[in-house]
Every structure is written in C-alpha cells, then in structure tokens.
Amino acid sequence: MTHTPNGTPLTRHGSRVPTLTAKPAPPPPALATSSPAYAAQRRTPRQAVTPAPTIHMMIVCLPDDLPGEALTAHQLAAHFGVPATLTAGFWAVPGLRRWQRRQMIGLRKGQPAPCSGGPVRLLDLHGMRQAAAVGAGIRHQIWQQAVHGTRPATPWPTFEARHLANPNRYPLQAAATDFHTQPRVHAMRLHAATHPGPGQPGIGELEMLQAGPLAYQHYSAATAVVGDAMLTADGRKLAPASDALTDRTTYIEQALHHLDTLAPDQRLIAVAL
C-alpha cells in the first residue's frame, strides 16, 4: 500500500530572514531526471505480475495405452508429473450394465452414481451440468439476499495482483485487510458464519456471483465437467492464467471445446491436487 507523506517539511529559516538569491541545489541522485539511471527506469515499464490460479480438481484425458493399474497415487504422479489422487468428480450414466461397470474408475454406490472417471459415453456430463446450474441458481438467490444493499466489491485477484506487483510497499496482509473490509465481503462472511454448511456462496466466487445469475449458472455448469484445469491425452495442460473471471472464462471456452472433440471411448478421470 502506498504511504501518504505526513505533510510537507517546514523550512529551516524563519520569516525574518531576508530573501537571498541563491543557486538552487541540484536534485538528489535518486530524483535527477537527467541521469541515465532515471531515463532507463522511465523507459522500462513495470511488469505486471499475474497471480497463479487455484486448482483443486484437474480433469485428465487418459492415453489409450495407459493401463488401469497405473491409476494409483504414486503412478499418477509418475505419469503426469503432478501429485494427485483420484476423486469422485463425475457421475456415471443411469442404468449401467454389469459389463459396463468394469470400465468405470472408482465407481461408488448412489443415485446418481459418483465415480472418478471412465469412457466419455458412460459419464453423465449433461446431468452434471444441469444439476450444477440448478444449484448455482439457488446459491445466487441466497447470495443476493445476503448482500442486499451493499455496493459491488473488488474481487480478491485484483488485490493479490497489486501485492505481487510491489510486495514491499503493499504487503499481503494489507491486501487481505483491504479485501475483507469491503461491506459486501463483510455481508458474505457474516452470512456464512450464521448459516454454516455446504452449498453456501463463498467469497472465493465473488466475481462470478457479481456477473449475474445466468452467468453464474453457466460458470458453475461448465466448471462441473471441466474442473479447474485439464490435461489432454497428448500431454497439453489447459488452465486459467489466474483466478480472475476473464481468465477462468478463457479456460472454460478452451476446455469445453476440447471436451466436445473427444471420442466416445476416450477415458477421463478427475484428480484432486
């Protein structure tokens, strides 16, 4: 945070001292606008620092030649270069045949039946997106009631970027304080404190919620099937550049496009990082 100077320094002489015509003192080296260092500093723009994205769940497109026994925590790290464990991030299609169940990965009991993955044709991606959109609509209604009367707030990635651009003058604690003292963030935190439990809108989705109910439903529906990042079968990693909504949206566009190009027998798994 930029500190405002405490007023202007007073002159060392009183008003009774007669005005003298004196040669002005040269500016200090740090402020000498004619110095080469100053000119170089003016020519070199400050580089913007982009905060790293938060990735909780990654969708992995498995290569055709990867055996099923390789899907262990140790083998996942060896094959894909990231420490990960299988997580129940998908639903199986209703009415699986017994022989189809053997193709599923980490299938659990339930209706819908959660699983860690399987062939695209046996994953209920449409049902997942529809359910996520319905849940997002309910959360947005709750959020609107919780923040009613408050002004739009600046999302956390903006404060984090300011901190990373100049960590000495704008420490992380100052950034966190500036973010959390916004009235809308206060309202969201108070609501979460008095209504504990899953399904409540969180401050991590502030920017998404402020985009409007329909945009938030689209965001939630897409994220339900593409997660926070995706690893393609040929080893390409798709991920947002940061947690900002514009970067998240760019990732969603890329991941959904890739998902639409996959063959029905392409195996997907969801892993927690």
Side-chain angles (χ1 to χ4, degrees), residues 147-226:
V147 302
H148 180 70
T150 62
R151 293 176 297 177
T154 302
W156 166 247
T158 302
F159 292 99
E160 186 180 17
R162 287 177 55 195
H163 157 69
L164 292 176
N166 201 337
N168 292 329
R169 302 192 65 179
Y170 193 57
L172 181 61
Q173 184 58 47
T177 299
D178 289 345
F179 171 71
H180 286 101
T181 53
Q182 297 177 101
R184 177 159 289 189
V185 177
H186 275 313
M188 294 180 67
R189 295 180 65 195
L190 287 170
H191 176 83
T194 55
H195 297 79
Q200 297 294 335
I203 59 176
E205 292 187 318
L206 172 64
E207 190 174 12
M208 296 73 169
L209 289 160
Q210 290 185 152
L214 188 58
Y216 182 61
Q217 284 184 296
H218 289 323
Y219 169 82
S220 300
T223 304
V225 295
V226 301

Side-chain angles (χ1 to χ4, degrees), residues 55-60 82 228-231 237 269-271 273:
I55 300 177
H56 297 296
M57 186 174 73
M58 174 183 285
I59 306 302
V60 179
V82 291
D228 302 311
M230 179 178 288
L231 190 65
K237 182 180 178 181
I269 59 170
V271 297
L273 302 184

Side-chain angles (χ1 to χ4, degrees), residues 7-261:
T8 304
L10 296 176
T11 178
R12 69 178 66 182
H13 303 295
S15 59
R16 291 177 293 177
V17 177
T19 303
L20 299 178
T21 303
K23 183 178 179 180
L31 300 178
T33 57
S34 60
S35 66
Y38 181 86
Q41 183 179 4
R42 291 293 301 270
R43 288 194 301 267
T44 305
R46 181 186 297 274
Q47 295 183 352
V49 181
T50 303
T54 303
I55 300 177
H56 297 296
M57 186 174 73
M58 174 183 285
I59 306 302
V60 179
C61 306
L62 296 178
D64 294 335
D65 57 351
L66 186 69
E69 55 268 20
L71 301 180
T72 63
H74 177 71
Q75 293 296 327
L76 284 175
H79 280 283
F80 305 119
V82 291
T85 55
L86 292 174
T87 185
F90 290 110
W91 291 352
V93 295
L96 276 179
R97 305 288 185 180
R98 180 170 297 181
W99 61 272
Q100 291 175 323
R101 290 179 176 270
R102 294 195 296 268
Q103 301 181 54
M104 306 305 295
I105 302 169
L107 182 64
R108 304 179 186 180
K109 294 181 179 180
Q111 196 60 251
C115 63
S116 298
V120 172
R121 59 185 172 83
L122 298 182
L123 299 177
D124 190 9
L125 301 181
H126 175 74
M128 292 170 59
R129 294 180 67 168
Q130 188 174 19
V134 172
I138 297 174
R139 284 197 307 278
H140 199 277
Q141 289 181 351
I142 296 173
W143 175 79
Q144 284 181 312
Q145 295 175 354
V147 302
H148 180 70
T150 62
R151 293 176 297 177
T154 302
W156 166 247
T158 302
F159 292 99
E160 186 180 17
R162 287 177 55 195
H163 157 69
L164 292 176
N166 201 337
N168 292 329
R169 302 192 65 179
Y170 193 57
L172 181 61
Q173 184 58 47
T177 299
D178 289 345
F179 171 71
H180 286 101
T181 53
Q182 297 177 101
R184 177 159 289 189
V185 177
H186 275 313
M188 294 180 67
R189 295 180 65 195
L190 287 170
H191 176 83
T194 55
H195 297 79
Q200 297 294 335
I203 59 176
E205 292 187 318
L206 172 64
E207 190 174 12
M208 296 73 169
L209 289 160
Q210 290 185 152
L214 188 58
Y216 182 61
Q217 284 184 296
H218 289 323
Y219 169 82
S220 300
T223 304
V225 295
V226 301
D228 302 311
M230 179 178 288
L231 190 65
T232 66
D234 58 2
R236 291 183 297 117
K237 182 180 178 181
L238 306 177
S242 73
D243 284 337
L245 181 55
T246 181
D247 292 329
R248 289 277 178 185
T249 301
T250 299
Y251 163 69
I252 286 173
E253 292 172 341
Q254 296 171 344
L256 287 179
H257 175 74
H258 184 72
L259 199 62
D260 290 339
T261 65

